[in-house]
RNA sequence: GCGGCUGUAGCUCAGUUGGUUAGAGUGCUGGAUUGUGAUUCCAGAUGUCGUGGGUUCAAGUCCCAUCAGCCGCCCCA
Protein backbone atom coordinates (compact mmCIF):
# COMPACT_ATOMS: atom_id res chain seq x y z
CA UNK A 1 0.00 0.00 0.00
CA UNK A 2 3.02 2.26 0.40
CA UNK A 3 3.54 4.69 -2.42
CA UNK A 4 6.85 6.20 -1.42
CA UNK A 5 9.87 5.25 -3.49
CA UNK A 6 11.13 1.84 -2.49
CA UNK A 7 13.53 1.94 0.41
CA UNK A 8 12.72 5.55 1.23
CA UNK A 9 10.51 6.39 4.13
CA UNK A 10 8.91 9.29 5.92
CA UNK A 11 10.37 10.14 9.28
CA UNK A 12 7.87 11.16 11.91
CA UNK A 13 6.67 10.46 15.38
CA UNK A 14 8.85 8.56 17.77
CA UNK A 15 11.51 7.62 15.22
CA UNK A 16 11.95 11.27 14.25
CA UNK A 17 12.13 12.24 17.91
CA UNK A 18 15.09 9.87 18.34
CA UNK A 19 16.70 11.39 15.25
CA UNK A 20 16.29 14.88 16.69
CA UNK A 21 17.69 13.85 20.03
CA UNK A 22 20.73 12.33 18.38
CA UNK A 23 21.22 15.34 16.11
CA UNK A 24 21.10 17.69 19.08
CA UNK A 25 23.82 15.65 20.81
CA UNK A 26 25.93 15.70 17.65
CA UNK A 27 25.96 19.49 17.44
CA UNK A 28 26.62 19.85 21.15
CA UNK A 29 29.34 17.22 21.60
CA UNK A 30 31.15 17.58 18.29
CA UNK A 31 31.00 21.36 18.49
CA UNK A 32 32.61 21.24 21.92
CA UNK A 33 35.51 19.26 20.42
CA UNK A 34 36.21 22.00 17.92
CA UNK A 35 34.71 20.19 14.97
CA UNK A 36 32.72 22.36 12.60
CA UNK A 37 29.74 21.25 10.59
CA UNK A 38 29.93 20.89 6.83
CA UNK A 39 27.04 20.30 4.45
CA UNK A 40 28.01 19.06 1.06
CA UNK A 41 25.74 18.45 -1.92
CA UNK A 42 23.78 15.24 -2.12
CA UNK A 43 24.77 14.98 -5.79
CA UNK A 44 28.39 14.74 -6.89
CA UNK A 45 29.99 13.89 -10.18
CA UNK A 46 30.20 10.12 -10.34
CA UNK A 47 33.95 10.36 -10.73
CA UNK A 48 34.30 11.62 -7.14
CA UNK A 49 32.98 8.35 -5.74
CA UNK A 50 34.59 6.08 -8.28
CA UNK A 51 37.99 7.52 -7.52
CA UNK A 52 37.64 7.52 -3.75
CA UNK A 53 35.49 4.59 -2.73
CA UNK A 54 37.19 2.38 -5.28
CA UNK A 55 36.18 0.80 -8.55
CA UNK A 56 36.29 -2.68 -7.12
CA UNK A 57 33.97 -1.97 -4.19
CA UNK A 58 30.38 -3.17 -4.16
CA UNK A 59 29.20 0.35 -3.55
CA UNK A 60 30.53 1.52 -6.89
CA UNK A 61 29.78 -1.74 -8.68
CA UNK A 62 26.12 -2.17 -7.94
CA UNK A 63 24.79 0.20 -5.31
CA UNK A 64 25.06 3.71 -6.67
CA UNK A 65 22.15 5.88 -7.68
CA UNK A 66 23.91 7.06 -10.79
CA UNK A 67 22.41 8.85 -13.76
CA UNK A 68 23.01 11.40 -16.49
CA UNK A 69 21.84 14.94 -15.90
CA UNK A 70 20.45 17.16 -18.66
CA UNK A 71 23.95 18.23 -19.59
CA UNK A 72 24.79 14.58 -20.11
CA UNK A 73 27.18 14.47 -17.16
CA UNK A 74 27.19 11.42 -14.96
CA UNK A 75 26.16 12.33 -11.43
CA UNK A 76 25.59 10.13 -8.38
CA UNK A 77 23.58 10.55 -5.21
CA UNK A 78 26.19 10.23 -2.49
CA UNK A 79 26.52 6.67 -1.13
CA UNK A 80 28.72 8.00 1.69
CA UNK A 81 30.11 11.40 2.54
CA UNK A 82 33.85 11.12 3.05
CA UNK A 83 34.46 11.56 -0.67
CA UNK A 84 32.26 14.66 -0.78
CA UNK A 85 33.92 16.22 2.24
CA UNK A 86 37.38 15.60 0.79
CA UNK A 87 36.24 17.06 -2.51
CA UNK A 88 35.05 20.16 -0.62
CA UNK A 89 38.37 20.44 1.26
CA UNK A 90 40.20 20.40 -2.06
CA UNK A 91 37.82 22.86 -3.75
CA UNK A 92 38.07 25.36 -0.92
CA UNK A 93 41.83 24.85 -0.59
CA UNK A 94 41.48 24.33 3.15
CA UNK A 95 44.41 21.96 3.32
CA UNK A 96 47.13 24.05 1.68
CA UNK A 97 48.82 25.27 4.84
CA UNK A 98 48.65 22.05 6.87
CA UNK A 99 46.43 23.37 9.63
CA UNK A 100 44.31 20.64 11.15
CA UNK A 101 40.78 20.79 9.78
CA UNK A 102 38.06 19.11 11.83
CA UNK A 103 34.62 18.63 10.33
CA UNK A 104 31.46 16.71 11.05
CA UNK A 105 28.42 16.10 8.91
CA UNK A 106 24.99 14.63 9.11
CA UNK A 107 22.61 13.78 6.33
CA UNK A 108 21.00 11.32 3.97
CA UNK A 109 23.02 8.87 1.88
CA UNK A 110 21.77 6.66 -0.92
CA UNK A 111 22.55 3.12 -1.91
CA UNK A 112 20.56 1.03 -4.33
CA UNK A 113 20.25 -2.16 -2.32
CA UNK A 114 17.86 -4.89 -1.36
CA UNK A 115 15.99 -3.83 1.74
CA UNK A 116 16.30 -5.54 5.07
CA UNK A 117 16.05 -4.80 8.77
CA UNK A 118 17.99 -1.60 9.46
CA UNK A 119 18.89 -1.09 5.83
CA UNK A 120 17.30 1.49 3.61
CA UNK A 121 18.03 2.97 0.21
CA UNK A 122 17.91 6.40 1.74
CA UNK A 123 19.58 6.25 5.11
CA UNK A 124 21.26 8.81 7.35
CA UNK A 125 24.84 9.00 8.45
CA UNK A 126 26.68 11.07 10.99
CA UNK A 127 30.39 11.36 10.41
CA UNK A 128 33.49 13.15 11.60
CA UNK A 129 36.65 13.71 9.61
CA UNK A 130 39.94 15.20 10.71
CA UNK A 131 42.48 16.33 8.14
CA UNK A 132 46.11 17.25 8.42
CA UNK A 133 47.04 15.19 11.47
CA UNK A 134 48.75 11.83 11.17
CA UNK A 135 49.26 11.09 14.86
CA UNK A 136 47.68 8.30 16.89
CA UNK A 137 46.70 11.08 19.32
CA UNK A 138 44.34 12.57 16.74
CA UNK A 139 42.71 9.16 16.35
CA UNK A 140 42.37 8.77 20.10
CA UNK A 141 40.80 12.22 20.31
CA UNK A 142 38.31 11.37 17.59
CA UNK A 143 37.43 8.08 19.26
CA UNK A 144 37.00 9.76 22.62
CA UNK A 145 34.54 12.13 21.01
CA UNK A 146 32.73 9.20 19.44
CA UNK A 147 32.50 7.29 22.70
CA UNK A 148 31.47 10.32 24.75
CA UNK A 149 28.77 10.96 22.18
CA UNK A 150 27.45 7.40 22.24
CA UNK A 151 27.70 7.00 25.99
CA UNK A 152 25.98 10.35 26.43
CA UNK A 153 23.05 8.90 24.54
CA UNK A 154 22.96 5.99 26.97
CA UNK A 155 24.85 3.30 25.05
CA UNK A 156 27.04 1.69 27.66
CA UNK A 157 28.31 -1.64 26.43
CA UNK A 158 29.98 -0.96 23.13
CA UNK A 159 32.73 -3.07 21.71
CA UNK A 160 35.28 -1.42 19.52
CA UNK A 161 36.91 -3.74 17.07
CA UNK A 162 40.36 -2.57 15.98
CA UNK A 163 42.94 -3.44 13.36
CA UNK A 164 45.60 -1.91 11.17
CA UNK A 165 45.31 -2.46 7.44
CA UNK A 166 48.79 -1.14 6.77
CA UNK A 167 49.93 1.20 4.06
CA UNK A 168 50.35 0.80 0.31
CA UNK A 169 54.07 0.39 1.07
CA UNK A 170 53.71 -2.32 3.69
CA UNK A 171 50.97 -4.26 1.97
CA UNK A 172 53.08 -6.11 -0.63
CA UNK A 173 54.98 -7.90 2.14
CA UNK A 174 51.74 -9.06 3.72
CA UNK A 175 50.23 -9.99 0.37
CA UNK A 176 53.23 -12.16 -0.49
CA UNK A 177 53.08 -14.00 2.82
CA UNK A 178 49.33 -14.34 2.63
CA UNK A 179 49.49 -15.61 -0.91
CA UNK A 180 51.86 -18.39 0.17
CA UNK A 181 49.48 -19.25 3.01
CA UNK A 182 46.49 -19.20 0.64
CA UNK A 183 48.12 -21.34 -2.04
CA UNK A 184 48.98 -24.00 0.54
CA UNK A 185 45.26 -24.56 1.21
CA UNK A 186 43.60 -22.99 -1.80
CA UNK A 187 41.02 -25.74 -2.19
CA UNK A 188 39.47 -24.82 1.17
CA UNK A 189 38.55 -21.33 0.03
CA UNK A 190 35.38 -20.29 -1.76
CA UNK A 191 35.05 -19.00 -5.30
CA UNK A 192 34.82 -15.38 -4.14
CA UNK A 193 38.06 -15.72 -2.22
CA UNK A 194 39.83 -17.09 -5.27
CA UNK A 195 38.75 -13.94 -7.04
CA UNK A 196 39.82 -11.78 -4.09
CA UNK A 197 43.32 -13.26 -3.96
CA UNK A 198 43.88 -11.56 -7.31
CA UNK A 199 42.06 -8.28 -6.72
CA UNK A 200 42.31 -7.52 -3.00
CA UNK A 201 43.78 -10.35 -0.86
CA UNK A 202 43.07 -8.62 2.48
CA UNK A 203 39.36 -8.93 1.92
CA UNK A 204 39.58 -12.69 2.22
CA UNK A 205 40.09 -12.12 5.94
CA UNK A 206 36.49 -11.04 6.44
CA UNK A 207 34.86 -13.52 4.10
CA UNK A 208 31.63 -14.61 5.80
CA UNK A 209 31.89 -18.16 4.54
CA UNK A 210 32.45 -20.45 7.57
CA UNK A 211 34.70 -22.71 5.52
CA UNK A 212 36.94 -19.79 4.61
CA UNK A 213 37.01 -18.58 8.20
CA UNK A 214 38.11 -22.03 9.32
CA UNK A 215 40.74 -22.22 6.58
CA UNK A 216 42.12 -18.88 7.78
CA UNK A 217 43.19 -20.42 11.08
CA UNK A 218 46.79 -19.39 11.73
CA UNK A 219 46.88 -16.90 8.85
CA UNK A 220 49.61 -14.28 8.64
CA UNK A 221 48.25 -11.05 10.09
CA UNK A 222 48.58 -7.64 8.53
CA UNK A 223 49.98 -6.25 11.77
CA UNK A 224 53.03 -8.51 11.76
CA UNK A 225 54.00 -7.26 8.31
CA UNK A 226 53.62 -3.57 9.09
CA UNK A 227 56.53 -1.22 8.48
CA UNK A 228 58.16 0.10 11.64
CA UNK A 229 56.35 3.44 11.61
CA UNK A 230 52.92 1.85 11.15
CA UNK A 231 53.67 -0.69 13.85
CA UNK A 232 54.66 2.07 16.29
CA UNK A 233 51.54 4.00 15.32
CA UNK A 234 49.33 1.01 16.01
CA UNK A 235 50.98 0.28 19.36
CA UNK A 236 50.74 3.89 20.45
CA UNK A 237 47.03 4.08 19.63
CA UNK A 238 46.34 0.99 21.71
CA UNK A 239 48.25 2.49 24.63
CA UNK A 240 46.27 5.70 24.38
CA UNK A 241 42.93 3.90 24.23
CA UNK A 242 43.83 1.77 27.22
CA UNK A 243 44.82 4.86 29.21
CA UNK A 244 41.55 6.52 28.21
CA UNK A 245 39.45 3.55 29.30
CA UNK A 246 38.08 2.94 25.84
CA UNK A 247 37.59 -0.80 25.64
CA UNK A 248 38.64 -2.41 22.38
CA UNK A 249 39.40 -5.82 21.03
CA UNK A 250 42.01 -6.41 18.39
CA UNK A 251 40.53 -8.11 15.39
CA UNK A 252 43.26 -9.14 12.94
CA UNK A 253 40.58 -10.09 10.40
CA UNK A 254 38.87 -6.70 10.35
CA UNK A 255 39.12 -5.15 6.90
CA UNK A 256 36.90 -2.38 5.64
CA UNK A 257 34.95 -2.55 2.43
CA UNK A 258 36.11 0.79 1.10
CA UNK A 259 39.43 0.88 -0.69
CA UNK A 260 40.86 4.07 0.74
CA UNK A 261 41.79 3.02 4.28
CA UNK A 262 45.37 2.98 5.58
CA UNK A 263 46.70 1.93 8.97
CA UNK A 264 43.94 2.20 11.60
CA UNK A 265 40.59 0.61 10.79
CA UNK A 266 37.78 -0.02 13.24
CA UNK A 267 34.14 -0.93 13.64
CA UNK A 268 31.52 -1.00 16.34
CA UNK A 269 28.87 -3.68 16.09
CA UNK A 270 25.58 -3.98 17.91
CA UNK A 271 23.74 -7.17 18.64
CA UNK A 272 20.41 -5.33 18.52
CA UNK A 273 20.45 -4.86 14.78
CA UNK A 274 19.68 -8.29 13.36
CA UNK A 275 21.93 -9.16 10.47
CA UNK A 276 22.87 -5.53 9.93
CA UNK A 277 25.13 -5.51 12.93
CA UNK A 278 27.49 -2.74 11.88
CA UNK A 279 26.63 0.40 13.76
CA UNK A 280 29.62 2.41 12.67
CA UNK A 281 32.97 2.11 11.00
CA UNK A 282 35.95 4.18 10.10
CA UNK A 283 39.67 4.56 10.00
CA UNK A 284 42.62 6.40 8.56
CA UNK A 285 42.74 7.31 4.88
CA UNK A 286 45.97 9.15 4.29
CA UNK A 287 46.03 8.76 0.53
CA UNK A 288 42.56 9.92 -0.36
CA UNK A 289 43.02 13.68 -0.42
CA UNK A 290 45.89 13.42 -2.85
CA UNK A 291 43.96 10.95 -4.93
CA UNK A 292 41.22 13.54 -5.32
CA UNK A 293 43.63 16.23 -6.43
CA UNK A 294 44.57 17.86 -3.13
CA UNK A 295 47.86 18.11 -1.28
CA UNK A 296 49.23 14.98 0.37
CA UNK A 297 47.22 15.12 3.59
CA UNK A 298 46.74 12.73 6.48
CA UNK A 299 43.11 12.07 7.36
CA UNK A 300 41.02 10.07 9.80
CA UNK A 301 37.28 9.66 10.09
CA UNK A 302 34.28 7.50 10.75
CA UNK A 303 30.57 7.31 10.06
CA UNK A 304 27.62 6.12 12.14
CA UNK A 305 24.33 4.90 10.75
CA UNK A 306 21.76 7.25 12.24
CA UNK A 307 18.84 4.95 11.42
CA UNK A 308 20.58 2.07 13.15
CA UNK A 309 21.62 4.18 16.11
CA UNK A 310 18.02 5.33 16.55
CA UNK A 311 16.88 1.71 16.30
CA UNK A 312 19.29 0.58 19.00
CA UNK A 313 18.30 3.43 21.30
CA UNK A 314 14.65 2.59 20.85
CA UNK A 315 15.30 -1.04 21.66
CA UNK A 316 17.28 -0.11 24.74
CA UNK A 317 15.23 2.81 25.99
CA UNK A 318 11.81 2.61 24.36
CA UNK A 319 10.12 5.77 23.17
CA UNK A 320 12.09 8.98 22.99
CA UNK A 321 11.20 11.39 25.78
CA UNK A 322 8.46 13.71 24.64
CA UNK A 323 6.97 16.70 26.38
CA UNK A 324 4.00 17.92 24.38
CA UNK A 325 2.83 21.53 24.59
CA UNK A 326 -0.13 22.39 26.80
CA UNK A 327 -3.35 22.87 24.83
CA UNK A 328 -5.21 26.15 25.35
CA UNK A 329 -8.93 25.66 24.77
CA UNK A 330 -11.07 28.80 24.63
CA UNK A 331 -14.84 28.55 24.97
CA UNK A 332 -16.90 31.12 23.19
CA UNK A 333 -16.10 33.99 20.85
CA UNK A 334 -14.83 36.36 23.48
CA UNK A 335 -12.52 33.77 25.00
CA UNK A 336 -11.11 32.67 21.66
CA UNK A 337 -10.03 36.22 20.82
CA UNK A 338 -8.42 36.54 24.21
CA UNK A 339 -6.80 33.12 23.90
CA UNK A 340 -4.77 34.14 20.86
CA UNK A 341 -3.56 37.28 22.60
CA UNK A 342 -2.73 35.36 25.75
CA UNK A 343 -0.94 32.56 23.90
CA UNK A 344 1.13 35.13 22.04
CA UNK A 345 2.21 36.63 25.32
CA UNK A 346 3.19 33.19 26.62
CA UNK A 347 4.97 32.22 23.40
CA UNK A 348 6.97 35.40 23.85
CA UNK A 349 8.05 34.11 27.24
CA UNK A 350 9.17 30.84 25.72
CA UNK A 351 6.27 28.66 26.82
CA UNK A 352 5.01 25.83 24.65
CA UNK A 353 1.34 26.31 23.98
CA UNK A 354 -0.86 24.81 21.33
CA UNK A 355 -4.07 26.61 20.50
CA UNK A 356 -7.42 24.94 19.90
CA UNK A 357 -8.77 27.14 17.12
CA UNK A 358 -11.72 25.11 15.86
CA UNK A 359 -14.20 26.71 18.22
CA UNK A 360 -15.55 23.24 18.85
CA UNK A 361 -17.36 22.04 21.98
CA UNK A 362 -15.11 21.30 24.94
CA UNK A 363 -15.93 17.62 24.70
CA UNK A 364 -14.54 17.40 21.19
CA UNK A 365 -11.49 19.44 22.08
CA UNK A 366 -10.66 17.12 24.97
CA UNK A 367 -11.22 14.06 22.83
CA UNK A 368 -8.69 15.29 20.28
CA UNK A 369 -6.32 16.31 23.04
CA UNK A 370 -6.49 12.86 24.54
CA UNK A 371 -5.85 11.19 21.20
CA UNK A 372 -2.89 13.35 20.29
CA UNK A 373 -1.13 12.86 23.60
CA UNK A 374 -1.68 16.25 25.18
CA UNK A 375 -1.00 16.09 28.90
CA UNK A 376 -2.28 19.45 30.04
CA UNK A 377 -5.45 21.22 28.87
CA UNK A 378 -5.86 24.89 29.74
CA UNK A 379 -9.53 25.74 29.57
CA UNK A 380 -10.48 29.37 29.15
CA UNK A 381 -14.23 29.99 29.44
CA UNK A 382 -16.40 32.95 30.35
CA UNK A 383 -15.95 32.38 34.06
CA UNK A 384 -12.17 32.05 33.88
CA UNK A 385 -12.01 35.07 31.61
CA UNK A 386 -13.64 37.24 34.24
CA UNK A 387 -11.50 35.89 37.06
CA UNK A 388 -8.27 36.03 35.07
CA UNK A 389 -7.65 32.31 35.51
CA UNK A 390 -7.58 29.10 33.50
CA UNK A 391 -9.02 25.72 34.43
CA UNK A 392 -6.12 23.29 34.22
CA UNK A 393 -6.98 19.70 33.50
CA UNK A 394 -4.32 16.97 33.81
CA UNK A 395 -5.36 14.44 31.22
CA UNK A 396 -3.43 11.52 32.64
CA UNK A 397 -4.88 11.75 36.17
CA UNK A 398 -8.15 13.53 35.44
CA UNK A 399 -7.43 16.05 38.17
CA UNK A 400 -8.43 19.63 37.58
CA UNK A 401 -7.30 22.80 39.27
CA UNK A 402 -7.47 26.51 38.69
CA UNK A 403 -4.39 28.63 38.03
CA UNK A 404 -4.05 32.39 37.73
CA UNK A 405 -2.46 33.56 34.49
CA UNK A 406 0.77 34.37 36.35
CA UNK A 407 0.86 30.93 37.93
CA UNK A 408 0.32 29.32 34.55
CA UNK A 409 3.25 31.17 32.98
CA UNK A 410 5.38 30.21 35.96
CA UNK A 411 4.38 26.56 36.05
CA UNK A 412 4.86 26.03 32.33
CA UNK A 413 7.96 28.19 32.03
CA UNK A 414 11.18 26.92 30.58
CA UNK A 415 9.82 23.62 29.41
CA UNK A 416 11.38 23.03 26.01
CA UNK A 417 9.23 20.92 23.76
CA UNK A 418 9.38 19.68 20.24
CA UNK A 419 7.13 17.48 18.24
C1' G B 1 22.10 -9.45 -7.88
C1' C B 2 20.20 -14.34 -5.25
C1' G B 3 16.80 -17.14 -1.74
C1' G B 4 12.46 -17.78 1.92
C1' C B 5 7.85 -15.78 3.85
C1' U B 6 3.81 -12.26 3.55
C1' G B 7 -0.09 -8.81 1.26
C1' U B 8 -8.19 -8.89 3.41
C1' A B 9 -11.46 -2.13 7.07
C1' G B 10 -7.13 3.36 9.74
C1' C B 11 -4.45 -0.83 12.84
C1' U B 12 -3.95 -6.30 14.37
C1' C B 13 -5.84 -10.32 12.07
C1' A B 14 -9.89 -14.55 10.92
C1' G B 15 -11.99 -16.32 6.37
C1' U B 16 -13.11 -24.38 5.98
C1' U B 17 -11.81 -29.30 0.36
C1' G B 18 -13.15 -22.78 -4.43
C1' G B 19 -19.94 -21.82 -3.29
C1' U B 20 -24.70 -16.99 -2.62
C1' U B 21 -24.75 -10.38 0.40
C1' A B 22 -16.50 -10.76 3.29
C1' G B 23 -16.03 -11.10 9.29
C1' A B 24 -13.95 -10.10 14.49
C1' G B 25 -11.23 -7.07 17.87
C1' U B 26 -9.51 -2.31 18.17
C1' G B 27 -10.08 2.35 16.15
C1' C B 28 -13.59 5.85 13.77
C1' U B 29 -18.62 8.74 13.62
C1' G B 30 -23.12 10.05 16.32
C1' G B 31 -25.91 9.74 20.89
C1' A B 32 -26.68 8.91 26.79
C1' U B 33 -29.76 17.49 28.00
C1' U B 34 -26.13 23.01 28.69
C1' G B 35 -18.38 23.76 29.92
C1' U B 36 -15.05 17.91 30.77
C1' G B 37 -11.44 13.47 27.58
C1' A B 38 -9.63 8.53 28.56
C1' U B 39 -13.51 4.17 31.43
C1' U B 40 -19.25 2.37 30.68
C1' C B 41 -23.92 1.88 27.68
C1' C B 42 -26.66 2.42 22.85
C1' A B 43 -26.64 3.17 17.51
C1' G B 44 -23.95 3.61 12.83
C1' A B 45 -20.34 3.73 8.75
C1' U B 46 -16.48 1.61 6.82
C1' G B 47 -13.10 -2.62 1.97
C1' U B 48 -10.57 -1.91 -5.81
C1' C B 49 -9.52 -8.80 -0.62
C1' G B 50 -1.78 -5.21 -3.26
C1' U B 51 -2.20 -4.88 -8.93
C1' G B 52 -2.86 -7.30 -13.84
C1' G B 53 -3.95 -11.58 -16.38
C1' G B 54 -5.59 -16.85 -16.41
C1' U B 55 -8.45 -21.59 -14.95
C1' U B 56 -13.76 -22.35 -13.52
C1' C B 57 -20.80 -22.30 -13.87
C1' A B 58 -18.38 -19.81 -9.59
C1' A B 59 -11.88 -17.08 -7.11
C1' G B 60 -10.29 -13.53 -0.99
C1' U B 61 -9.28 -18.95 -1.68
C1' C B 62 -6.12 -22.32 -7.38
C1' C B 63 -2.20 -20.86 -11.41
C1' C B 64 1.10 -17.12 -13.77
C1' A B 65 3.09 -12.35 -13.86
C1' U B 66 3.98 -7.84 -11.41
C1' C B 67 4.47 -4.40 -7.34
C1' A B 68 5.29 -3.69 -2.21
C1' G B 69 6.78 -5.29 2.74
C1' C B 70 9.40 -8.55 6.19
C1' C B 71 13.59 -11.95 6.90
C1' G B 72 18.22 -14.00 5.20
C1' C B 73 22.80 -14.13 1.54
C1' C B 74 26.33 -10.71 -0.64
C1' C B 75 27.86 -5.93 1.07
C1' C B 76 27.51 -2.12 4.25
C1' A B 77 25.52 2.29 8.00
Amino acid sequence: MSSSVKGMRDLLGDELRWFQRIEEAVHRVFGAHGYREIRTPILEYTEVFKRSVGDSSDIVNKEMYEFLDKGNRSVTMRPENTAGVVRAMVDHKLLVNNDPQLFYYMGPMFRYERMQAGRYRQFWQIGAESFGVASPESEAESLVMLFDFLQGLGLKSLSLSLNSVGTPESRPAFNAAFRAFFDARANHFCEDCHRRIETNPMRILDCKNPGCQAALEGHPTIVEFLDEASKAHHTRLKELLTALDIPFTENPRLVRGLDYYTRTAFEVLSSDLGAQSALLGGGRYDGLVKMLGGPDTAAFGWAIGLDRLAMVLKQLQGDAPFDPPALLIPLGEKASAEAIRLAREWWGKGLSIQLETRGCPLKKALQSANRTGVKLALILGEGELEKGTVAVKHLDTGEQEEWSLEETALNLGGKGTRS
Side-chain angles (χ1 to χ4, degrees), chain A residues 22 41 133 141 166 168 181 208 285 297 374 390:
Chain A
I22 293 165
V133 197
E141 185 278 327
F181 174 85
K208 299 300 184 298
Y285 49 97
T297 307
V374 170
V390 288

Side-chain angles (χ1 to χ4, degrees), chain A residues 42 90 129 156 246 329 358 404:
Chain A
I42 282 170
V90 173
E129 317 281 356
K156 299 300 181 205
I246 294 181
I329 307 171
R358 287 178 297 183
S404 72

Side-chain angles (χ1 to χ4, degrees), chain A residues 5 106 160 164 168 210 234 268 276 284 287 297:
Chain A
V5 173
M106 209 160 28
L160 175 64
S164 174
H234 189 56
V268 172
Q276 307 310 313
R284 177 161 290 286
T297 307

Side-chain angles (χ1 to χ4, degrees), chain A residues 298-311:
Chain A
F300 180 84
W302 40 259
I304 313 179
L306 183 41
D307 315 69
R308 291 181 185 180
L309 181 55
M311 192 184 293

Side-chain angles (χ1 to χ4, degrees), chain A residues 38-45 49 76-78 80-81 84-85 87-88 92 108-110:
Chain A
I38 182 169
R39 303 189 189 186
T40 64
I42 282 170
L43 224 49
E44 298 275 359
Y45 290 118
F49 301 116
T76 295
M77 293 171 79
R78 59 186 189 191
E80 57 103 50
N81 206 27
V85 170
R87 198 266 314 136
H92 296 280
M109 310 293 157
F110 304 82

Side-chain angles (χ1 to χ4, degrees), chain A residues 289-301:
Chain A
V289 175
K290 193 171 188 187
M291 205 190 303
L292 287 180
D296 198 354
T297 307
F300 180 84

